[in-house]
Amino acid sequence: MAFKIAVAMFKGGASKTTVSLALAEAAAEAGLDVEAIDTDPMGGLTRWSLGAEEESRPLRMAVTGMPSAKQLSDRIASATSHRDLVVIDGPPPGALAIAKAAIEAADYVLLACPARPADQDSVPATLAAVREAGKPFNGVLTCARKTLLTDTGRIALHGMGVPLLKTELDLSDLVADNYLHRSRGPLRRFGIDLFDEISTKIG
Ligand SMILES: Nc1ncnc2c1ncn2[C@@H]1O[C@H](COP(=O)(O)OP(=O)(O)OP(=O)(O)O)[C@@H](O)[C@H]1O
Ligand SMILES: [Mg+2]
């Protein structure tokens, strides 16, 4: 039976897809059989996977596109029967039903939390959905910088009741540059650290 992790945030551009990719790739590098489920109707993760295939360096995990809430639960049920880990990349805003279905289906939820306080407006609603579903969760800080604003963002998330992981995703062009490629450089390192930290937490 696969363990299921949903990467969630009811806000566009919170780094859900980037975090999902890094986590799934790291788990696959660690030897797990991983499936990533792309719930974005625009298929961002699916395109990423196709780009990597075209380069003859395919992603280390399978990617399935599944942009409907009903199909999502069917797909997850079938994936869990033969995978070790399923990572569900939550959709962009405007697809609330599937965003909630992804949380409902998960054993553990990772909240992709942008570091800047001005980008954290969707954290309370996402947190409420995760709490309502009764799922264990942590926050992962994304687009982090060594600035006072990032420190303020961490404090604000703490105030909202988000237990942040130690692993953070730094804001860097080297991260964005991974699009359509296997994870490498700082994104690969982030994924490995994230997978290690989550594995320790959930045992
Ligand atoms: N740490 C980072 N440093 C630099 N660029 C980043 C970082 N994280 C994400 N990005 C870039 O920001 C954009 C949005 O990231 P991503 O697609 O992962 O967000 P998302 O939450 O999945 O968005 P959506 O809600 O549209 O699905 C992408 O262009 C991505 O490359
Ligand atoms: Mg996305």
Side-chain angles (χ1 to χ4, degrees):
M1 271 295 266
F3 191 81
K4 292 156 281 176
I5 300 178
V7 180
M9 185 52 58
F10 298 168
K11 179 177 181 62
S15 307
K16 296 178 292 291
T17 299
T18 305
V19 169
S20 299
L21 180 286
L23 176 63
E25 288 248 277
E29 266 201 87
L32 300 191
D33 182 355
V34 184
E35 181 163 334
I37 299 189
D38 177 8
T39 66
D40 179 351
M42 298 302 288
L45 192 55
T46 306
R47 264 186 290 134
W48 199 327
S49 170
L50 291 174
E53 262 172 43
E54 276 168 23
E55 270 199 336
S56 304
R57 282 179 63 75
L59 299 183
R60 298 165 177 96
M61 76 289 190
V63 175
T64 315
M66 204 47 60
S68 109
K70 157 122 190 44
Q71 289 170 322
L72 178 67
S73 44
D74 294 348
R75 181 65 217 169
I76 289 170
S78 98
T80 44
S81 64
H82 64 286
R83 305 285 186 190
D84 301 316
L85 177 70
V86 173
V87 176
I88 309 162
D89 174 20
L96 198 59
I98 196 156
K100 288 189 170 173
I103 291 169
E104 284 289 344
D107 299 308
Y108 171 84
V109 180
L110 200 52
L111 297 175
C113 298
R116 286 168 23 141
D119 296 329
Q120 295 174 347
D121 50 330
S122 297
V123 172
T126 315
L127 189 57
V130 174
R131 288 213 168 111
E132 196 181 323
K135 304 293 176 171
F137 70 96
N138 283 105
V140 59
L141 200 74
T142 65
C143 296
R145 292 185 300 153
K146 290 179 179 42
T147 61
L148 209 54
L149 201 58
T150 289
D151 293 341
T152 308
R154 272 190 212 97
I155 292 166
L157 290 163
H158 180 73
M160 289 181 226
V162 178
L164 285 173
L165 295 175
K166 281 207 289 295
T167 308
E168 298 182 348
L169 181 60
D170 290 336
L171 179 70
S172 163
D173 283 350
L174 291 174
V175 168
D177 192 40
N178 278 262
Y179 186 53
L180 305 180
H181 305 287
R182 269 188 183 189
S183 65
R184 56 193 182 189
L187 186 63
R188 176 168 171 264
R189 185 73 252 163
F190 161 77
I192 290 169
D193 292 347
L194 181 64
F195 178 65
D196 281 354
E197 190 175 0
I198 292 175
S199 301
T200 307
K201 272 199 180 301
I202 60 190

